[in-house]
mmCIF file of all heavy atoms in Angstrom:
data_model
loop_
_atom_site.group_PDB
_atom_site.id
_atom_site.type_symbol
_atom_site.label_atom_id
_atom_site.label_comp_id
_atom_site.label_asym_id
_atom_site.label_seq_id
_atom_site.Cartn_x
_atom_site.Cartn_y
_atom_site.Cartn_z
ATOM 1 N N ASN A 3 -79.540 -4.063 56.359
ATOM 2 C CA ASN A 3 -78.103 -3.881 56.018
ATOM 3 C C ASN A 3 -77.243 -3.860 57.319
ATOM 4 O O ASN A 3 -76.180 -4.425 57.239
ATOM 5 C CB ASN A 3 -77.861 -2.573 55.280
ATOM 6 C CG ASN A 3 -78.485 -2.656 53.835
ATOM 7 O OD1 ASN A 3 -78.602 -3.759 53.318
ATOM 8 N ND2 ASN A 3 -78.921 -1.562 53.342
ATOM 9 N N LEU A 18 -60.323 -14.226 61.824
ATOM 10 C CA LEU A 18 -59.051 -13.652 62.137
ATOM 11 C C LEU A 18 -58.519 -14.185 63.461
ATOM 12 O O LEU A 18 -57.335 -14.510 63.645
ATOM 13 C CB LEU A 18 -59.079 -12.165 62.128
ATOM 14 C CG LEU A 18 -59.307 -11.474 60.765
ATOM 15 C CD1 LEU A 18 -59.498 -9.942 60.961
ATOM 16 C CD2 LEU A 18 -58.195 -11.718 59.836
ATOM 17 N N PHE A 38 -46.496 -38.046 62.081
ATOM 18 C CA PHE A 38 -45.902 -39.307 62.589
ATOM 19 C C PHE A 38 -47.022 -40.089 63.270
ATOM 20 O O PHE A 38 -47.160 -41.358 63.089
ATOM 21 C CB PHE A 38 -44.839 -38.993 63.596
ATOM 22 C CG PHE A 38 -44.274 -40.195 64.265
ATOM 23 C CD1 PHE A 38 -43.242 -40.947 63.646
ATOM 24 C CD2 PHE A 38 -44.624 -40.626 65.513
ATOM 25 C CE1 PHE A 38 -42.700 -42.063 64.197
ATOM 26 C CE2 PHE A 38 -44.099 -41.768 66.069
ATOM 27 C CZ PHE A 38 -43.063 -42.439 65.433
ATOM 28 N N TYR A 45 -51.300 -47.162 60.081
ATOM 29 C CA TYR A 45 -50.723 -48.537 59.877
ATOM 30 C C TYR A 45 -51.272 -49.525 60.874
ATOM 31 O O TYR A 45 -51.726 -50.593 60.483
ATOM 32 C CB TYR A 45 -49.229 -48.410 60.044
ATOM 33 C CG TYR A 45 -48.491 -49.770 59.976
ATOM 34 C CD1 TYR A 45 -48.292 -50.403 58.720
ATOM 35 C CD2 TYR A 45 -48.125 -50.408 61.149
ATOM 36 C CE1 TYR A 45 -47.640 -51.690 58.695
ATOM 37 C CE2 TYR A 45 -47.551 -51.665 61.139
ATOM 38 C CZ TYR A 45 -47.289 -52.257 59.892
ATOM 39 O OH TYR A 45 -46.691 -53.463 59.846
ATOM 40 N N SER A 57 -68.398 -61.472 61.338
ATOM 41 C CA SER A 57 -69.331 -61.359 62.488
ATOM 42 C C SER A 57 -69.064 -60.136 63.365
ATOM 43 O O SER A 57 -69.812 -59.872 64.291
ATOM 44 C CB SER A 57 -69.119 -62.618 63.375
ATOM 45 O OG SER A 57 -67.815 -62.782 63.845
ATOM 46 N N ARG A 82 -72.002 -11.905 71.610
ATOM 47 C CA ARG A 82 -71.127 -11.377 72.732
ATOM 48 C C ARG A 82 -71.981 -10.855 73.892
ATOM 49 O O ARG A 82 -73.191 -10.731 73.682
ATOM 50 C CB ARG A 82 -70.179 -10.255 72.202
ATOM 51 C CG ARG A 82 -69.310 -10.726 71.042
ATOM 52 C CD ARG A 82 -68.541 -9.637 70.408
ATOM 53 N NE ARG A 82 -67.695 -10.036 69.315
ATOM 54 C CZ ARG A 82 -67.052 -9.236 68.473
ATOM 55 N NH1 ARG A 82 -67.173 -7.940 68.728
ATOM 56 N NH2 ARG A 82 -66.373 -9.748 67.521
ATOM 57 N N LYS A 102 -78.037 -17.860 59.002
ATOM 58 C CA LYS A 102 -76.651 -18.000 58.558
ATOM 59 C C LYS A 102 -75.793 -18.688 59.586
ATOM 60 O O LYS A 102 -74.813 -19.452 59.228
ATOM 61 C CB LYS A 102 -76.117 -16.585 58.282
ATOM 62 C CG LYS A 102 -76.646 -15.813 57.092
ATOM 63 C CD LYS A 102 -76.219 -14.462 56.949
ATOM 64 C CE LYS A 102 -76.790 -13.725 55.727
ATOM 65 N NZ LYS A 102 -76.367 -12.352 55.599
ATOM 66 N N PHE A 110 -68.945 -26.037 59.111
ATOM 67 C CA PHE A 110 -67.858 -26.438 59.912
ATOM 68 C C PHE A 110 -67.909 -27.895 60.398
ATOM 69 O O PHE A 110 -67.031 -28.626 60.324
ATOM 70 C CB PHE A 110 -67.792 -25.579 61.185
ATOM 71 C CG PHE A 110 -67.048 -24.269 60.985
ATOM 72 C CD1 PHE A 110 -67.673 -22.999 60.726
ATOM 73 C CD2 PHE A 110 -65.629 -24.236 61.079
ATOM 74 C CE1 PHE A 110 -66.943 -21.888 60.525
ATOM 75 C CE2 PHE A 110 -64.880 -23.066 60.886
ATOM 76 C CZ PHE A 110 -65.574 -21.906 60.603
ATOM 77 N N TYR A 126 -65.843 -50.918 57.782
ATOM 78 C CA TYR A 126 -67.190 -51.263 57.198
ATOM 79 C C TYR A 126 -67.015 -52.105 55.966
ATOM 80 O O TYR A 126 -67.747 -53.104 55.823
ATOM 81 C CB TYR A 126 -67.894 -49.976 56.966
ATOM 82 C CG TYR A 126 -69.288 -50.193 56.355
ATOM 83 C CD1 TYR A 126 -70.358 -50.685 57.155
ATOM 84 C CD2 TYR A 126 -69.567 -49.803 55.040
ATOM 85 C CE1 TYR A 126 -71.618 -50.894 56.604
ATOM 86 C CE2 TYR A 126 -70.862 -49.997 54.526
ATOM 87 C CZ TYR A 126 -71.852 -50.516 55.273
ATOM 88 O OH TYR A 126 -73.099 -50.730 54.722
ATOM 89 N N VAL A 129 -65.727 -55.752 56.769
ATOM 90 C CA VAL A 129 -66.722 -56.624 57.474
ATOM 91 C C VAL A 129 -67.945 -57.003 56.517
ATOM 92 O O VAL A 129 -68.379 -58.139 56.456
ATOM 93 C CB VAL A 129 -67.226 -55.979 58.764
ATOM 94 C CG1 VAL A 129 -68.435 -56.775 59.362
ATOM 95 C CG2 VAL A 129 -66.068 -55.866 59.709
ATOM 96 N N ILE A 143 -76.364 -39.029 53.476
ATOM 97 C CA ILE A 143 -77.322 -39.388 54.609
ATOM 98 C C ILE A 143 -76.813 -38.757 55.901
ATOM 99 O O ILE A 143 -77.585 -38.183 56.633
ATOM 100 C CB ILE A 143 -77.473 -40.848 54.648
ATOM 101 C CG1 ILE A 143 -78.126 -41.394 53.359
ATOM 102 C CG2 ILE A 143 -78.346 -41.224 55.929
ATOM 103 C CD1 ILE A 143 -78.141 -42.887 53.331
ATOM 104 N N ALA A 146 -77.461 -35.087 55.968
ATOM 105 C CA ALA A 146 -78.861 -34.780 56.175
ATOM 106 C C ALA A 146 -79.239 -34.938 57.608
ATOM 107 O O ALA A 146 -79.998 -34.075 58.177
ATOM 108 C CB ALA A 146 -79.710 -35.710 55.305
ATOM 109 N N TRP A 149 -77.913 -31.968 59.616
ATOM 110 C CA TRP A 149 -78.786 -30.768 59.474
ATOM 111 C C TRP A 149 -79.978 -30.813 60.336
ATOM 112 O O TRP A 149 -80.390 -29.867 60.977
ATOM 113 C CB TRP A 149 -79.195 -30.533 58.037
ATOM 114 C CG TRP A 149 -80.063 -29.395 57.777
ATOM 115 C CD1 TRP A 149 -81.349 -29.410 57.404
ATOM 116 C CD2 TRP A 149 -79.702 -27.979 57.918
ATOM 117 N NE1 TRP A 149 -81.858 -28.069 57.326
ATOM 118 C CE2 TRP A 149 -80.827 -27.278 57.671
ATOM 119 C CE3 TRP A 149 -78.497 -27.391 58.305
ATOM 120 C CZ2 TRP A 149 -80.782 -25.820 57.733
ATOM 121 C CZ3 TRP A 149 -78.497 -25.997 58.361
ATOM 122 C CH2 TRP A 149 -79.646 -25.252 58.103
ATOM 123 N N GLN A 162 -85.064 -22.980 78.597
ATOM 124 C CA GLN A 162 -84.096 -22.698 79.595
ATOM 125 C C GLN A 162 -83.827 -23.891 80.472
ATOM 126 O O GLN A 162 -82.701 -24.037 81.031
ATOM 127 C CB GLN A 162 -84.628 -21.595 80.533
ATOM 128 C CG GLN A 162 -83.551 -20.970 81.394
ATOM 129 C CD GLN A 162 -82.564 -20.095 80.683
ATOM 130 O OE1 GLN A 162 -82.849 -19.344 79.791
ATOM 131 N NE2 GLN A 162 -81.239 -20.265 81.062
ATOM 132 N N MET A 182 -78.809 -44.582 61.376
ATOM 133 C CA MET A 182 -77.537 -44.972 60.780
ATOM 134 C C MET A 182 -77.290 -46.467 60.959
ATOM 135 O O MET A 182 -76.801 -47.090 60.006
ATOM 136 C CB MET A 182 -76.367 -44.252 61.532
ATOM 137 C CG MET A 182 -76.359 -42.689 61.262
ATOM 138 S SD MET A 182 -76.556 -42.240 59.530
ATOM 139 C CE MET A 182 -75.251 -43.171 58.745
ATOM 140 N N GLN A 201 -88.313 -38.689 63.133
ATOM 141 C CA GLN A 201 -87.441 -37.492 63.194
ATOM 142 C C GLN A 201 -88.185 -36.246 62.694
ATOM 143 O O GLN A 201 -88.031 -35.193 63.298
ATOM 144 C CB GLN A 201 -86.170 -37.736 62.353
ATOM 145 C CG GLN A 201 -85.258 -38.765 63.022
ATOM 146 C CD GLN A 201 -83.982 -39.004 62.149
ATOM 147 O OE1 GLN A 201 -84.118 -39.234 60.942
ATOM 148 N NE2 GLN A 201 -82.839 -38.804 62.735
ATOM 149 N N LYS A 215 -91.829 -18.860 71.983
ATOM 150 C CA LYS A 215 -90.772 -18.608 72.986
ATOM 151 C C LYS A 215 -89.753 -17.652 72.412
ATOM 152 O O LYS A 215 -89.381 -17.723 71.258
ATOM 153 C CB LYS A 215 -90.050 -19.872 73.371
ATOM 154 C CG LYS A 215 -91.057 -20.827 74.218
ATOM 155 C CD LYS A 215 -90.253 -22.116 74.579
ATOM 156 C CE LYS A 215 -91.088 -23.011 75.458
ATOM 157 N NZ LYS A 215 -91.357 -22.454 76.796
ATOM 158 N N LEU A 222 -77.447 -18.364 75.060
ATOM 159 C CA LEU A 222 -76.686 -18.372 73.811
ATOM 160 C C LEU A 222 -75.318 -17.723 74.015
ATOM 161 O O LEU A 222 -74.283 -18.235 73.468
ATOM 162 C CB LEU A 222 -77.529 -17.605 72.810
ATOM 163 C CG LEU A 222 -78.796 -18.190 72.286
ATOM 164 C CD1 LEU A 222 -79.497 -17.283 71.385
ATOM 165 C CD2 LEU A 222 -78.589 -19.559 71.633
ATOM 166 N N MET A 230 -65.659 -20.740 72.773
ATOM 167 C CA MET A 230 -64.346 -20.075 72.538
ATOM 168 C C MET A 230 -63.344 -20.304 73.615
ATOM 169 O O MET A 230 -62.183 -20.369 73.342
ATOM 170 C CB MET A 230 -64.608 -18.509 72.516
ATOM 171 C CG MET A 230 -65.419 -18.066 71.266
ATOM 172 S SD MET A 230 -64.659 -18.562 69.741
ATOM 173 C CE MET A 230 -63.077 -17.794 69.782
ATOM 174 N N LYS A 254 -54.066 -31.375 96.907
ATOM 175 C CA LYS A 254 -53.308 -31.710 98.044
ATOM 176 C C LYS A 254 -52.606 -33.054 97.928
ATOM 177 O O LYS A 254 -51.482 -33.178 98.549
ATOM 178 C CB LYS A 254 -54.273 -31.710 99.297
ATOM 179 C CG LYS A 254 -53.576 -31.864 100.638
ATOM 180 C CD LYS A 254 -54.578 -31.760 101.773
ATOM 181 C CE LYS A 254 -53.860 -31.927 103.124
ATOM 182 N NZ LYS A 254 -54.821 -31.868 104.272
ATOM 183 N N MET A 264 -37.819 -26.458 103.545
ATOM 184 C CA MET A 264 -37.720 -25.172 102.800
ATOM 185 C C MET A 264 -36.437 -24.419 103.173
ATOM 186 O O MET A 264 -36.135 -24.304 104.292
ATOM 187 C CB MET A 264 -38.960 -24.275 103.230
ATOM 188 C CG MET A 264 -40.256 -24.822 102.593
ATOM 189 S SD MET A 264 -40.155 -24.923 100.769
ATOM 190 C CE MET A 264 -39.801 -23.200 100.368
ATOM 191 N N PHE A 315 -43.141 -37.033 72.064
ATOM 192 C CA PHE A 315 -44.134 -36.428 72.969
ATOM 193 C C PHE A 315 -43.396 -35.836 74.179
ATOM 194 O O PHE A 315 -43.912 -34.831 74.693
ATOM 195 C CB PHE A 315 -45.074 -37.518 73.431
ATOM 196 C CG PHE A 315 -46.197 -37.654 72.442
ATOM 197 C CD1 PHE A 315 -46.169 -38.558 71.437
ATOM 198 C CD2 PHE A 315 -47.353 -36.868 72.606
ATOM 199 C CE1 PHE A 315 -47.195 -38.674 70.507
ATOM 200 C CE2 PHE A 315 -48.368 -36.969 71.726
ATOM 201 C CZ PHE A 315 -48.309 -37.912 70.648
ATOM 202 N N TYR A 317 -40.419 -34.293 73.907
ATOM 203 C CA TYR A 317 -39.911 -33.049 73.380
ATOM 204 C C TYR A 317 -41.087 -32.028 73.318
ATOM 205 O O TYR A 317 -40.911 -30.904 73.657
ATOM 206 C CB TYR A 317 -39.322 -33.212 72.009
ATOM 207 C CG TYR A 317 -38.941 -31.935 71.321
ATOM 208 C CD1 TYR A 317 -37.850 -31.209 71.697
ATOM 209 C CD2 TYR A 317 -39.768 -31.402 70.295
ATOM 210 C CE1 TYR A 317 -37.611 -29.924 71.155
ATOM 211 C CE2 TYR A 317 -39.535 -30.200 69.713
ATOM 212 C CZ TYR A 317 -38.389 -29.508 70.092
ATOM 213 O OH TYR A 317 -38.107 -28.284 69.505
ATOM 214 N N ASP A 331 -42.268 -13.482 86.616
ATOM 215 C CA ASP A 331 -41.442 -12.334 86.257
ATOM 216 C C ASP A 331 -42.090 -11.051 86.686
ATOM 217 O O ASP A 331 -41.381 -10.021 86.864
ATOM 218 C CB ASP A 331 -41.088 -12.316 84.757
ATOM 219 C CG ASP A 331 -40.042 -13.308 84.335
ATOM 220 O OD1 ASP A 331 -39.587 -14.033 85.272
ATOM 221 O OD2 ASP A 331 -39.559 -13.210 83.210
ATOM 222 N N LYS A 346 -32.769 -19.419 89.661
ATOM 223 C CA LYS A 346 -33.976 -19.503 88.927
ATOM 224 C C LYS A 346 -33.802 -20.480 87.756
ATOM 225 O O LYS A 346 -34.663 -21.323 87.551
ATOM 226 C CB LYS A 346 -34.469 -18.152 88.474
ATOM 227 C CG LYS A 346 -35.716 -18.227 87.662
ATOM 228 C CD LYS A 346 -36.132 -16.810 87.246
ATOM 229 C CE LYS A 346 -37.519 -16.836 86.451
ATOM 230 N NZ LYS A 346 -37.903 -15.510 85.973
ATOM 231 N N ILE A 360 -40.558 -38.443 84.884
ATOM 232 C CA ILE A 360 -41.841 -39.058 85.217
ATOM 233 C C ILE A 360 -42.677 -39.391 84.014
ATOM 234 O O ILE A 360 -43.333 -40.469 83.965
ATOM 235 C CB ILE A 360 -42.640 -38.063 86.152
ATOM 236 C CG1 ILE A 360 -41.890 -37.882 87.477
ATOM 237 C CG2 ILE A 360 -44.076 -38.622 86.452
ATOM 238 C CD1 ILE A 360 -42.504 -36.846 88.445
ATOM 239 N N GLU A 374 -43.826 -56.634 77.536
ATOM 240 C CA GLU A 374 -42.544 -56.314 76.835
ATOM 241 C C GLU A 374 -41.704 -55.535 77.809
ATOM 242 O O GLU A 374 -41.462 -54.383 77.661
ATOM 243 C CB GLU A 374 -42.799 -55.547 75.529
ATOM 244 C CG GLU A 374 -43.738 -56.286 74.555
ATOM 245 C CD GLU A 374 -44.058 -55.425 73.346
ATOM 246 O OE1 GLU A 374 -43.474 -54.405 73.143
ATOM 247 O OE2 GLU A 374 -44.999 -55.837 72.633
ATOM 248 N N PHE A 388 -32.893 -38.433 77.321
ATOM 249 C CA PHE A 388 -33.434 -37.223 76.600
ATOM 250 C C PHE A 388 -33.734 -36.135 77.644
ATOM 251 O O PHE A 388 -33.510 -34.969 77.441
ATOM 252 C CB PHE A 388 -34.722 -37.634 75.832
ATOM 253 C CG PHE A 388 -35.482 -36.446 75.306
ATOM 254 C CD1 PHE A 388 -35.057 -35.858 74.116
ATOM 255 C CD2 PHE A 388 -36.446 -35.875 75.961
ATOM 256 C CE1 PHE A 388 -35.689 -34.823 73.502
ATOM 257 C CE2 PHE A 388 -37.201 -34.718 75.437
ATOM 258 C CZ PHE A 388 -36.754 -34.214 74.267
#
Side-chain angles (χ1 to χ4, degrees):
N3 290 333
L18 292 175
F38 179 81
Y45 175 78
S57 58
R82 299 173 183 172
K102 292 176 181 177
F110 272 99
Y126 179 69
V129 171
I143 295 170
W149 179 249
Q162 193 72 42
M182 292 311 306
Q201 288 180 306
K215 293 182 175 291
L222 294 176
M230 291 305 298
K254 186 177 180 180
M264 289 303 300
F315 276 90
Y317 171 74
D331 281 8
K346 179 181 179 182
I360 293 173
E374 300 175 12
F388 173 83

